[in-house]
Amino acid sequence: MVFYHRLGKIPHKRHTAFRNPEGDLYPEHLMGNLGFSGIKSLLYTLRPPTRLSRIERLSERRPEPEPSESLHLRHFKTHDLTAPGPSVVLDRIPLLFNEDVAVSLARPSADDPFFYRNGQADEVVFVTEGEGVLESQMGSLDYRQGDYLVIPKGIIHRFRLGGANHILLILETRGYVRTPARYRNAHGQLLEHSPFCERDIRPPSRLTPHDEAGEFPVLVKSKNALLRMILAHHPFDTVGWDGYYYPWAFNISDFEPITGRIHQPPPVHQTFEGDGFVLCSFVPRLFDYHPDAIPAPYNHSNIGSDEVLYYCNGEFMSRKGIEYGSITLHPDGMPHGPHPGKTEASIGLKETRELAVMLDTFKPLHVAKTALPCEDTAYQGSWLEKPA
Ligand SMILES: [Fe+2]
């Protein structure tokens, strides 16, 4: 959605005859969201995208909430969880969810023998560890550690893992993922005060059409179920496309932190927005420069909002006891702030090396049953401890 991009061969005019060297028409395929009113791309393919030989239902994909829901501060050591298998699609571990977003963890170790299309959600895949290539109908996009991979709803894709050591935090969102509106001008261009710009955003860069007929399985997620669709040709047969609808990458290390003389609130870390949530990046940065500034945040109660932090290293200035891969959940209105002693200890510090991804939702989150085995149940009581 970020800017106009084109790859491969396309005709000068839309919806005009565009032929292959044998004189046959390349089929056109318009893909976009919000009916015909949202962003879109126009693809030219070797074969029509409509050549489905069959569709079958495989399984339900509805996360199950914990049996007894509560309201307290939570901490999960997610990297202690073992993935049930090697697939980036089939072996996700649900962690948190509501009707707008779902968060899961995946630790894929082998390429899937099928393609994938999430038909009910945009996905933001945060590459905590790993590198490889995200292949899609729009071409290939190299990814690396620290990337947010934004994969809009409905785009057929697959991961080509560049090694077995992957840790991915996956966010699925009912609404579409976009850059914060306040950082865009009326033309959609990112403004000068945005903490990142178009140069930091990587669209697919290579397009190689696959000219193969046969049986190609595409797993499709729809209505919280997984379907298997058999295409009669390779789904990556695009010869050219242009538009705004495509997967893209943004690396967290390209987020330029906004700092100030006194403590800056979490919205300065905002990176994405969607329906019912915002996503923020906490990156290494200099601390506040007022001589009496308190760099640690003040206690706060986010009423009507659930706050999730995913810690991408073991450092976070206001907390103790968290570790690489921790997720904390501070639900609706529950007061929280620095751990005992952390406020005083932050005074005079010049910088932080913390790296974290924050999700704020505007509807309450459910904790998935599958997250419970890694919960640190002592977390709520940790504010009662004496300063270290
Ligand atoms: Fe908070």
Side-chain angles (χ1 to χ4, degrees):
M1 72 143 291
V2 280
F3 45 74
Y4 174 82
H5 188 56
R6 59 193 282 177
L7 267 184
K9 296 185 297 181
I10 56 173
H12 175 64
K13 276 281 175 195
R14 292 175 300 153
H15 319 315
T16 58
F18 178 41
R19 298 181 186 279
N20 66 22
E22 286 74 47
D24 299 321
L25 286 172
Y26 287 117
E28 276 186 318
H29 182 191
L30 187 76
M31 290 184 71
N33 61 22
L34 307 181
F36 287 85
S37 307
I39 55 169
K40 62 190 188 300
S41 286
L42 188 57
L43 289 73
Y44 296 84
T45 53
L46 296 175
R47 295 177 174 85
T50 45
R51 300 173 71 247
L52 289 186
S53 53
R54 59 186 187 275
I55 301 177
E56 58 193 1
R57 190 179 177 91
L58 290 183
S59 59
E60 293 292 311
R61 302 293 281 182
R62 202 181 295 275
E64 203 179 330
E66 61 184 334
S68 174
E69 299 205 278
S70 179
L71 186 68
H72 60 280
L73 307 183
R74 315 286 291 265
H75 175 206
F76 304 92
K77 299 182 176 187
T78 67
H79 290 186
D80 288 352
L81 293 170
T82 305
S87 169
V88 67
V89 170
L90 299 174
D91 297 313
R92 298 177 179 186
I93 307 166
L95 300 173
L96 303 164
F97 64 96
N98 65 16
E99 60 198 81
D100 294 325
V101 298
V103 183
S104 59
L105 187 85
R107 308 188 74 157
S109 54
D111 289 346
D112 284 329
F114 52 80
F115 302 87
Y116 182 53
R117 174 183 171 215
N118 193 330
Q120 67 179 51
D122 276 21
E123 292 193 359
V124 181
V125 178
F126 180 73
V127 183
T128 315
E129 288 185 22
E131 59 178 21
V133 182
L134 175 66
E135 296 179 340
S136 75
Q137 292 169 281
M138 282 77 171
S140 296
L141 168 58
D142 296 333
Y143 68 86
R144 63 180 189 272
Q145 184 170 355
D147 275 345
Y148 292 103
L149 296 171
V150 180
I151 308 170
K153 194 182 297 184
I155 293 178
I156 299 175
H157 63 276
R158 68 178 173 187
F159 280 81
R160 293 311 218 190
L161 309 179
N165 297 320
H166 271 66
I167 302 178
L168 308 175
L169 189 80
I170 301 167
L171 188 72
E172 294 178 61
T173 73
R174 181 180 53 80
Y176 67 98
V177 176
R178 57 257 189 199
T179 52
R182 70 178 186 280
Y183 290 139
R184 280 183 267 123
N185 65 20
H187 308 278
Q189 188 175 17
L190 290 165
L191 292 160
E192 281 296 303
H193 68 286
S194 170
F196 54 95
C197 76
E198 285 81 1
R199 287 187 201 180
D200 300 317
I201 288 164
R202 292 150 30 224
S205 60
R206 303 183 299 282
L207 187 66
T208 308
H210 292 258
D211 185 5
E212 293 173 53
E215 293 216 325
F216 293 85
V218 181
L219 298 199
V220 179
K221 189 172 182 184
S222 174
K223 299 175 187 171
N224 290 315
L226 213 50
L227 314 172
R228 180 171 24 228
M229 183 170 89
I230 304 296
L231 267 186
H233 61 273
H234 197 296
F236 301 161
D237 68 337
T238 309
V239 298
W241 65 272
D242 73 334
Y244 287 66
Y245 203 71
Y246 52 84
W248 49 280
F250 169 70
N251 196 279
I252 195 168
S253 65
D254 285 323
F255 187 92
E256 296 301 330
I258 296 170
T259 58
R261 218 162 87 92
I262 57 170
H263 185 81
Q264 299 294 297
V268 301
H269 306 285
Q270 192 185 346
T271 313
F272 304 103
E273 68 183 20
D275 296 354
F277 77 95
V278 295
L279 203 64
C280 303
S281 305
F282 286 77
V283 301
R285 62 193 183 279
L286 295 179
F287 272 144
D288 323 315
Y289 52 89
H290 185 288
D292 295 323
I294 299 175
Y298 29 83
N299 297 307
H300 51 283
S301 301
N302 300 0
I303 296 157
S305 166
D306 276 22
E307 179 190 289
V308 177
L309 266 163
Y310 175 62
Y311 302 84
C312 307
N313 62 22
E315 294 183 38
F316 204 73
M317 57 146 157
S318 57
R319 305 269 145 72
K320 57 182 181 175
I322 58 101
E323 61 183 39
Y324 175 48
S326 285
I327 280 184
T328 54
L329 167 64
H330 299 155
D332 190 351
M334 290 297 289
H336 60 277
H339 268 126
K342 286 287 190 182
T343 300
E344 187 70 49
S346 74
I347 297 172
L349 293 180
K350 297 294 178 216
E351 62 178 340
T352 175
R353 305 302 301 164
E354 69 190 20
L355 189 66
V357 173
M358 187 177 85
L359 166 71
D360 269 10
T361 66
F362 305 121
K363 289 180 188 147
L365 284 163
H366 303 286
V367 173
K369 210 172 168 181
T370 38
L372 297 180
C374 71
E375 183 166 17
D376 163 21
T377 53
Y379 185 64
Q380 174 71 73
S382 61
W383 273 267
L384 296 170
E385 294 169 8
K386 288 196 165 61

